[in-house]
Amino acid sequence: MLRRRALALAALLVAASAWGQQGAGSAPTVSFNGSLGQKAALLLIDGEPRTVPVGQSVRGVRLLALEEGRAVVEIDGRRQALLLGASPGRIGAAEMPNAGRQIVLSSGAGGHFTANGTINGQHTQFLVDTGATSIAISQIEAERMNLRFRDGRRVMTQTANGAAPAHQIYLNSVRIGDVEVRNVEAIVIPGVMSHVLLGNSFLTRFQMRRDNDILTLDLRY
């Protein structure tokens, strides 16, 4: 009798463990890739871009609030804040297999890919530019971020107004979402730019894949 009860209890434990694993795996993967003002967010849910208005649910993911650089969502009673441009993750999951390895971006106005991030811990806005040799930063933005660009190597660069002097430097850290790349070449140029150009000194560290309006960057090393 005792042996029979022990076997029954073991069977119940195995079944409960299998159910728990299945339940954890069934949670959707979600990332925050853009917003329409404060009214709706562009979420990537299980690889599919969806526009979700605040207060509404799509595929079981409810958008609770939009804040600067993040979206607060809820699924199965679990809340989580998603950072703009961060890797997709399962809501409530203990681990994110792609954490720190993948960036997923959606195209905005004019088909451009933009993202919020940091340079040496200072917040800035990036625009993906595969035609740029390195990360390009305007002098005004570099001064705002307290980059010591004048200590860098002086070079000449070609701008829309012709050749102009610039400074070549190396950035300690470039971060988008939870992905960080260190020791990245950049160039600081005179003039004003709306974004920091995310050029090939950063992009070549990744395997790039574009699917319609979604750009995925997987870290190579």
Side-chain angles (χ1 to χ4, degrees), residues 86-135:
S87 303
R90 295 190 185 277
I91 303 300
E95 296 183 6
M96 293 190 298
N98 292 324
R101 305 288 306 176
Q102 186 180 81
I103 300 170
V104 181
L105 304 175
S106 59
S107 63
H112 298 295
F113 294 95
T114 61
N116 292 330
T118 63
I119 290 177
N120 294 359
Q122 299 294 313
H123 289 278
T124 192
Q125 291 185 314
F126 296 103
L127 185 149
V128 175
D129 186 354
T130 57
T133 302
S134 62
I135 289 179

Side-chain angles (χ1 to χ4, degrees), residues 184-208:
V184 186
E185 181 183 303
I187 189 169
V188 177
I189 60 178
V192 178
M193 297 190 299
S194 61
H195 294 76
V196 171
L197 301 184
L198 203 59
N200 288 318
S201 60
F202 179 86
L203 298 175
T204 53
R205 305 278 187 97
F206 296 82
Q207 178 68 44
M208 294 194 296

Side-chain angles (χ1 to χ4, degrees), residues 21-185:
Q21 293 177 2
Q22 181 179 8
S26 63
T29 58
V30 186
S31 64
F32 176 35
N33 291 337
S35 63
L36 303 175
Q38 297 296 314
K39 296 182 179 180
L42 176 62
L43 302 180
L44 194 68
I45 304 175
D46 287 337
E48 182 179 352
R50 303 298 294 265
T51 299
V52 184
V54 173
Q56 296 189 25
S57 299
V58 173
R59 298 183 63 175
V61 179
R62 183 178 180 84
L63 179 62
L64 299 178
L66 274 174
E67 303 169 359
E68 185 176 356
R70 70 175 190 166
V72 181
V73 299
E74 181 182 67
I75 181 170
D76 293 335
R78 296 172 176 169
R79 296 190 179 189
Q80 184 166 322
L82 305 176
L83 296 178
L84 184 63
S87 303
R90 295 190 185 277
I91 303 300
E95 296 183 6
M96 293 190 298
N98 292 324
R101 305 288 306 176
Q102 186 180 81
I103 300 170
V104 181
L105 304 175
S106 59
S107 63
H112 298 295
F113 294 95
T114 61
N116 292 330
T118 63
I119 290 177
N120 294 359
Q122 299 294 313
H123 289 278
T124 192
Q125 291 185 314
F126 296 103
L127 185 149
V128 175
D129 186 354
T130 57
T133 302
S134 62
I135 289 179
I137 310 169
S138 72
Q139 185 171 317
I140 292 175
E141 183 69 354
E143 290 173 345
R144 184 191 67 81
M145 292 189 289
N146 295 318
L147 300 180
R148 299 178 60 181
F149 63 91
R150 290 186 177 85
D151 295 339
R153 185 167 69 93
R154 288 180 62 85
V155 297
M156 295 298 294
T157 187
Q158 193 67 31
T159 68
N161 298 321
H167 294 83
Q168 185 183 55
I169 61 175
Y170 282 86
L171 306 172
N172 293 331
S173 167
V174 179
R175 186 180 184 92
I176 298 177
D178 58 356
V179 180
E180 182 182 36
V181 177
R182 304 188 68 83
N183 195 32
V184 186
E185 181 183 303

